Amino acid sequence: MAEFEPVSTLSDFQKLDDADILEGYLDGFHGMAEPGSDKSPSYCHGWLNGQVDAGFREPSDAQKELALAFQTL
């Protein structure tokens, strides 16, 4: 998963695939193992958010930046 840049801007977020984000989110929320290079950046973004929402990890700086960007819409 480290091969993907974290999503921290609205323009980067808009390039992601909603279905992959949802799949990754659900897997991350349910504690599935960290995804490898066989998964898309969208899936990885969702997985990280699922991990945070389930309490498995703290939000990254990129996640915090993206959240702030959404708040300013």
Side-chain angles (χ1 to χ4, degrees):
M1 190 170 73
E3 66 270 15
F4 299 123
E5 287 294 318
V7 177
S8 61
T9 66
L10 291 174
S11 63
D12 287 342
F13 178 78
Q14 291 170 336
K15 297 174 189 172
L16 300 179
D17 179 80
D18 292 341
D20 279 358
I21 292 172
L22 178 58
E23 181 183 357
Y25 179 86
L26 293 173
D27 286 352
F29 190 86
H30 290 105
M32 299 291 289
E34 184 171 323
S37 60
D38 62 323
K39 298 296 185 186
S40 71
S42 302
Y43 178 95
C44 293
H45 175 76
W47 184 86
L48 284 169
N49 281 299
Q51 287 276 290
V52 169
D53 288 352
F56 293 120
R57 63 175 59 212
E58 293 296 316
S60 68
D61 289 341
Q63 287 170 304
K64 292 175 186 176
E65 287 177 42
L66 185 59
L68 285 173
F70 270 101
Q71 290 176 1
T72 62
L73 287 179

